[in-house]
Amino acid sequence: MWTIPGNLKRVLISIGFMICQQMTGTNAINYYAPQVFENVGITGNQNSLLATGVYGIIKVLGVIFFLLFMADSLGRRKSLLYTSVIMVVWMFYIGFYIHFDPPKAEKVIPPAGYAALTFIFFFAVSFEVGWGPVCWIYISEIPSARLRSMNVAIAATQWLFNFVVAKSVLTMTYFIFGSFCAVMFVFTWFFVPETKGIWSEWTTSSV
């Protein structure tokens, strides 16, 4: 069945989605959140853990808001395109701040540091209204009903790339993640048609 060009194309798109999802850097921030917040100037174990908790709450609220109010109104393709561009901005700003003007020990956090902290939270929202939930929605919509469960299972190879992200170093990696977000925009623009409002069996003829 994977020798059929249409089926193979949909599997490759699904795998591409999962790779892109990991390479946004979201799980790098999830795994190293206390360290990330220390890098932007949040000192003290209690403060960094508090910021980590707020980050997690924002992610949950973001995905709930998207699923309730945006998934069917904005659509899949626009969600992916818009959030790709926005995440490029957040990642590159954070990377430039940490690499070129890092916070000084025992010093007050400068306005640029507060901006970096805010952009980490903005990144969480951007991911949860785009590449977080949309990937899973999309890969379940593009295959035929007969192949849907297998397509989703194959796409779960994302956890291989999750391992790569888990081993990443978060100083220069922000630039890498930001660059991948730019690549994701191109990937979506050329290879990802809209599936909003299209019956699943019709979707297979357009993807």
Side-chain angles (χ1 to χ4, degrees):
M1 56 188 166
W2 304 124
T3 57
I4 300 174
N7 291 340
L8 180 60
K9 178 183 177 182
R10 286 183 279 274
V11 169
L12 293 177
I13 289 175
S14 299
I15 293 174
F17 263 124
M18 294 297 102
I19 294 173
C20 290
Q21 188 185 65
Q22 292 301 314
M23 296 310 295
T24 59
T26 183
N27 278 328
I29 296 178
N30 291 343
Y31 297 150
Y32 300 107
Q35 178 184 337
V36 169
F37 290 115
E38 288 178 8
N39 288 341
V40 298
I42 303 298
T43 58
N45 188 55
Q46 185 174 355
N47 290 334
S48 61
L49 290 177
L50 176 61
T52 301
V54 173
Y55 177 81
I57 292 171
I58 289 175
K59 285 174 67 71
V60 172
L61 294 178
V63 72
I64 291 174
F65 180 83
F66 173 79
L67 293 175
L68 291 178
F69 302 108
M70 295 177 63
D72 288 325
S73 59
L74 185 59
R76 290 67 163 127
R77 179 178 165 85
K78 288 182 179 178
S79 298
L80 297 172
L81 290 172
Y82 294 162
T83 55
S84 295
V85 174
I86 294 171
M87 289 191 296
V88 170
V89 176
W90 305 151
M91 279 297 182
F92 270 88
Y93 181 89
I94 297 168
F96 274 113
Y97 171 69
I98 292 177
H99 187 69
F100 295 107
D101 188 25
K104 307 297 189 296
E106 307 300 328
K107 298 289 185 179
V108 177
I109 302 175
Y114 282 112
L117 174 63
T118 303
F119 288 168
I120 292 174
F121 295 133
F122 283 177
F123 170 83
V125 174
S126 302
F127 179 81
E128 296 301 341
V129 299
W131 286 87
V134 172
C135 288
W136 293 104
I137 295 172
Y138 199 89
I139 67 173
S140 67
E141 289 179 333
I142 58 175
S144 62
R146 181 173 61 90
L147 300 177
R148 184 169 297 127
S149 59
M150 187 174 297
N151 190 73
V152 173
I154 291 175
T157 51
Q158 62 152 333
W159 297 112
L160 296 175
F161 292 89
N162 192 358
F163 175 79
V164 174
V165 169
K167 297 299 182 181
S168 61
V169 179
L170 278 178
T171 303
M172 291 297 291
T173 317
Y174 290 106
F175 298 118
I176 297 175
F177 291 146
S179 299
F180 261 98
C181 289
V183 172
M184 287 153 47
F185 177 90
V186 177
F187 170 73
T188 303
W189 183 270
F190 287 104
F191 299 106
V192 180
E194 182 58 74
T195 59
K196 182 188 73 171
I198 302 177
W199 185 46
S200 61
E201 296 302 322
W202 293 349
T203 303
T204 58
S205 64
S206 61
V207 178

